[in-house]
Amino acid sequence: KFPNMQVFLVNKLRDPILETTKFNNVVNNAEINIITFVYDLDPEVCFPCLTEIEKINENLEHWRTIADFNYSVLVGTKRENDTKDSSRLYLSAFSARDYMKENEWTFPFIIDYGFNYLKALNIRGVPCTYIIDKGGNIFYSTRPGLSSESTLTEIASKLSSLQVVKPQKKNIN
């Protein structure tokens, strides 16, 4: 089961850059959510993390013809020894905002300050992507590492099997 813990939502266009909220508030209780976990947005630290986000972004339009879902990126950030020092938190937030603007990504970036989600879900490597339902049930997760074409195809297949299809537009004549 996917927990509903406190997270920090990165504001793309306005300050303050971070908004404290619960995870479920970010995903808007959608029937299906796809979440990619990454460790860092620094390409020297986690190049595969950025590559996974880019590959998924390239497939979002196609996947939305299969099912209606929300997509978000959860960035794990180490909590400093002194919990009052939030420099890493803000460094991750500014890095996320820069990538969102540079790549014109419109999906939310969420900061997991202290790796709470990675610990709760026992995630041992990133990047990895999860498909969860409105109730927090996990239907699918990728293994850590670069998304291959077969993994991207498998995500599309899982979306199809969930039977939450996107409503068709009606033709009014």
Side-chain angles (χ1 to χ4, degrees):
K1 189 103 169 157
F2 205 83
N4 182 27
M5 293 190 268
Q6 178 179 311
V7 293
F8 296 89
L9 178 63
V10 177
N11 292 319
K12 181 178 177 182
L13 301 174
R14 60 183 166 82
D15 287 323
I17 191 167
L18 290 173
E19 175 186 330
T20 305
T21 188
K22 290 283 192 175
F23 183 80
N24 286 356
N25 294 338
V26 177
V27 297
N28 298 322
N29 292 321
E31 292 294 323
I32 302 173
N33 290 283
I34 301 176
I35 301 106
T36 298
F37 290 89
V38 298
Y39 172 70
D40 201 316
L41 295 172
D42 182 344
E44 292 181 17
V45 176
C46 192
F47 180 75
C49 294
L50 293 173
T51 304
E52 176 125 340
I53 296 167
E54 288 168 1
K55 284 185 173 268
I56 287 176
N57 184 57
E58 291 169 4
N59 285 274
L60 288 177
E61 187 176 327
H62 169 67
W63 292 347
R64 283 195 167 90
T65 65
I66 298 169
D68 197 17
F69 62 89
N70 283 338
Y71 176 67
S72 55
V73 175
L74 194 63
V75 182
T77 300
K78 180 180 168 186
R79 187 180 289 273
E80 297 296 325
N81 291 337
D82 178 2
T83 56
K84 293 180 182 176
D85 176 16
S86 57
S87 59
R88 270 194 197 271
L89 174 62
Y90 282 92
L91 209 74
S92 291
F94 282 110
S95 181
R97 183 155 75 175
D98 289 347
Y99 276 106
M100 291 166 78
K101 287 180 180 178
E102 179 182 320
N103 294 292
E104 298 179 5
W105 291 335
T106 57
F107 40 84
F109 274 71
I110 307 158
I111 308 294
D112 176 18
Y113 190 46
F115 298 115
N116 298 315
Y117 272 92
L118 284 106
K119 291 173 191 170
L121 295 169
N122 201 27
I123 296 172
R124 297 287 179 217
V126 292
C128 59
T129 299
Y130 280 70
I131 299 176
I132 63 170
D133 73 358
K134 185 177 188 173
N137 299 305
I138 299 169
F139 283 99
Y140 175 75
S141 64
T142 62
R143 287 184 301 226
L146 190 62
S147 287
S148 66
E149 286 304 314
S150 63
T151 302
L152 296 170
T153 302
E154 195 169 327
I155 290 173
S157 173
K158 291 293 179 186
L159 288 172
S160 293
S161 71
L162 291 174
Q163 301 297 319
V164 182
V165 295
K166 187 169 184 142
Q168 299 294 317
K169 293 182 181 177
K170 293 182 181 179
N171 245 346
I172 302 173
N173 291 337

